[in-house]
Amino acid sequence: MHILVTGGTGYIGSHTCVELLASGYRVTVIDNLSNSKQEALHRVSEITGCELDFVRTDLRDRAVLEALFRDRDFDAVVHFAGLKAVGESTQIPLEYYENNIGGTLTLCKAMTEARVKKIVFSSSATVYGDPASVPIREDFPICPTNPYGRSKRFIEEILQDLYRSDGAWNIVLLRYFNPVGAHRSGRIGEDPDGIPNNLLPFIAQVAIGKLPRLRVFGDDYATPDGTGVRDYIHVTDLARGHLKALEKLATDPGVVTYNLGTGRGYSVLEMVRAFEQTSGRSIPFEIVGRRLGDIAICYADPTLARTELDWTTDFGIEEMIRDTWRWQSRNPEGYE
Ligand code: NAD
Ligand code: UFG
């Protein structure tokens, strides 16, 4: 099976390439390197002992995409490529819609022409907005609160329309909760540009001394310790979910949607304490005001993925933090 992985040099994409190659898939990656480094793929090859093809291109370059689908015999596409920073999406919404939706349209047109009609799409728990209750099931209302989240919602709907127009399509929509951690080798991991937005990369940079202290965004939420609760999931467990999704595509499911989370939430302060224990470093922090757009609590009901994909998570919070710390301490400058 030959899989086209869009955005495959990125954080989740590179970890998914490891699992695909290790399971015997052929892999071609396309990426414009707008938020990643090609070095990640060299390390993917080093970890797996397998080669993969890389084509540097923007997903919106229709000519390149059409040529690619003409020249190669893809069986399915795993589609990660997109912009993903919630805050930035409120500043430059048009870029987000153009990149995320425009890229997906070009991809789907090229797939249609080449009659490759199997796709796994990276959606996000952010499509649920502020849920009325937790755990969150796939049939909960969809009401994203920012342009990034709306780009995910629109793409989900576009893919559903595509299936309605042509029942030969098979589509798996995966709604990720909070991906963290790194490959256990310490060779690939998350390499954010500049100051990280997300909690665990930020804590890791405090632990290594690159940042002075963590700012905890609010301790007055209706949660046990007042800080925000999230469903953190090890990126390797998440990557394995994509292999299960590809297996599902082979059963002709139409359009199906799954939460990929652990079903367990941790607060910001629980994450700080767990990181201190695992790394042996202290994490200075201060409580500041809430971050605009944040919600109190978000965790998945992963039952559907367990029953229909036969997917469960192997790693708990200790492994997530251990592997984040191994990656951060061995690669203080990321892939540089
Ligand atoms: P990432 O930024 O590390 O990877 C995305 C990759 O896509 C990057 O390598 C980037 O260079 C590439 N890219 C972006 N626009 C492109 C374009 N037009 N053409 C070609 N390549 C392009 O992000 P990630 O964390 O690996 O996320 C992967 C996917 O999962 C994204 O779609 C993201 O929205 C989604 N997601 C991520 C999270 C998270 O917290 N990391 C949570 C939910 C969903
Ligand atoms: N937090 C801090 N300080 C920081 C960073 C985060 O206190 O410096 C807190 C947040 O307030 C929140 C928790 O840590 O309570 C997690 O925040 P993240 O930014 O790591 O993650 P979010 O849940 O806000 O968002 C992430 C991704 C989104 C995705 C969403 C849903 O960034 O792209 O998960 O899965 F949509």
Side-chain angles (χ1 to χ4, degrees), residues 23-297:
S23 299
Y25 288 92
R26 257 179 81 199
V27 173
T28 295
V29 165
I30 59 174
D31 202 300
N32 64 3
L33 303 182
S34 60
N35 196 39
S36 55
K37 308 264 177 356
Q38 203 181 332
E39 172 64 14
L41 295 187
H42 298 140
R43 298 194 186 185
V44 166
S45 290
E46 168 203 302
I47 291 167
T48 57
C50 301
E51 292 304 317
L52 74 175
D53 280 346
F54 174 63
V55 179
R56 181 174 183 173
T57 181
D58 194 288
L59 199 56
R60 292 162 293 177
D61 190 328
R62 197 164 169 184
V64 173
L65 237 68
E66 283 176 357
L68 200 66
F69 275 93
R70 248 195 329 270
D71 296 346
R72 306 190 190 204
D73 54 343
F74 299 122
D75 295 289
V77 176
V78 182
H79 177 29
F80 294 105
L83 301 174
K84 64 163 182 175
V86 171
E88 185 184 63
S89 80
T90 64
Q91 306 297 315
I92 47 168
L94 299 183
E95 310 289 330
Y96 271 68
Y97 291 130
E98 187 173 71
N99 192 78
N100 294 1
I101 299 175
T104 305
L105 293 178
T106 310
L107 173 67
C108 289
K109 282 182 184 162
M111 290 176 70
T112 304
E113 267 179 34
R115 296 195 186 81
V116 177
K117 297 186 178 178
K118 291 190 173 70
I119 185 168
V120 179
F121 172 63
S122 302
S123 188
S124 168
T126 197
V127 299
Y128 296 114
D130 194 357
S133 63
V134 283
I136 299 171
R137 282 197 321 267
E138 289 83 350
D139 60 358
F140 274 28
I142 297 303
C143 42
T145 56
N146 54 69
Y148 164 69
R150 279 188 281 276
S151 77
K152 293 293 180 191
R153 178 213 188 131
F154 296 146
I155 295 168
E156 287 196 4
E157 292 187 7
I158 289 165
L159 292 172
Q160 271 154 359
D161 283 340
L162 192 55
Y163 170 70
R164 281 186 209 107
S165 73
D166 176 359
W169 278 85
N170 285 293
I171 297 165
V172 181
L173 309 175
L174 296 178
R175 295 180 182 152
Y176 312 152
F177 282 66
N178 289 54
V180 295
H183 189 264
R184 64 180 179 281
S185 64
R187 295 294 289 154
I188 58 171
E190 190 171 10
D191 182 18
D193 238 1
I195 296 177
N197 292 312
N198 295 119
L199 180 67
L200 216 56
F202 200 107
I203 292 179
Q205 294 201 6
V206 172
I208 204 152
K210 281 177 85 175
L211 294 167
R213 77 185 65 78
L214 171 71
R215 296 189 311 147
V216 175
F217 297 137
D219 66 349
D220 56 352
Y221 286 108
T223 61
D225 66 18
T227 66
V229 169
R230 296 291 184 275
D231 186 338
Y232 298 95
I233 172 172
H234 196 294
V235 65
T236 295
D237 279 329
L238 190 65
R240 287 179 30 257
H242 295 75
L243 273 67
K244 296 290 190 180
L246 285 170
E247 289 168 22
K248 184 74 183 176
L249 284 177
T251 68
D252 218 4
V255 188
V256 283
T257 305
Y258 300 105
N259 286 338
L260 294 185
T262 65
R264 161 88 154 90
Y266 287 89
S267 75
V268 176
L269 293 181
E270 283 178 309
M271 294 301 280
V272 169
R273 298 216 176 86
F275 205 102
E276 288 185 324
Q277 260 185 3
T278 301
S279 66
R281 302 281 177 107
S282 89
I283 310 292
F285 67 85
E286 60 176 327
I287 308 286
V288 301
R290 292 181 178 194
R291 183 171 65 177
L292 203 68
D294 268 357
I295 57 175
I297 184 159

